[in-house]
Amino acid sequence: QVQLVESGGALVQPGGSLRLSCAASGSIFSFNAMGWYRQAPGKEREWVAIATRNIITRSLSTDYADSVKGRFTISSDNTQNTVYLQMNSLKTEDTAVYYCNLNGRIGSFWGQGTQVTVSS
């Protein structure tokens, strides 16, 4: 089992920035996909960003939901076993609980979420 702990959520004004972190209890290098999702009140959980690892080269490719493309960046640090989500130019509609997910051969794991509130 892998435990995931998200952090970095906060109250921020529109136009501001935040960096979310997702710390894993074990190595993240073996996971083929690392993603961030969010769930706003009264809405379904939606995909935000994903980093997919090439099974041969182990290099990462990234993709983003249209609503965050150009504003959010997903990255990872294998030495820290941490996945990040840099969020810039935040909008009120980005308000949600943000969850990270690691997906690999040993299973799919979720964190407990971190609240991001964008409000003036």
Side-chain angles (χ1 to χ4, degrees):
Q1 289 290 326
V2 176
Q3 309 296 322
L4 304 179
V5 178
E6 297 103 331
S7 61
L11 170 64
V12 63
Q13 291 187 341
S17 297
L18 283 175
R19 188 176 80 157
L20 305 184
S21 300
C22 173
S25 60
S27 172
I28 65 172
F29 189 71
S30 63
F31 287 93
N32 294 326
M34 302 175 287
W36 285 94
Y37 295 73
R38 67 186 181 187
Q39 187 167 19
K43 295 188 176 181
E44 302 264 330
R45 187 174 297 189
E46 64 176 0
W47 163 71
V48 174
I50 193 166
T52 304
R53 197 179 300 279
N54 184 288
I55 61 173
I56 297 176
T57 67
R58 308 306 289 167
S59 61
L60 290 176
S61 60
T62 59
D63 199 9
Y64 301 89
D66 288 342
S67 58
V68 306
K69 200 168 290 185
R71 300 188 297 122
F72 290 12
T73 303
I74 186 171
S75 63
S76 65
D77 184 338
N78 293 330
T79 64
Q80 299 293 322
N81 294 319
T82 301
V83 183
Y84 301 99
L85 184 69
Q86 178 66 43
M87 306 187 295
N88 299 328
S89 302
L90 283 162
K91 304 176 181 180
T92 55
E93 52 262 44
D94 294 320
T95 294
V97 178
Y98 284 71
Y99 301 88
C100 69
N101 169 258
L102 300 186
N103 207 1
R105 287 185 299 172
I106 64 172
S108 181
F109 303 93
W110 292 88
Q112 84 291 347
T114 186
Q115 176 71 47
V116 172
T117 302
V118 185
S119 175
S120 55

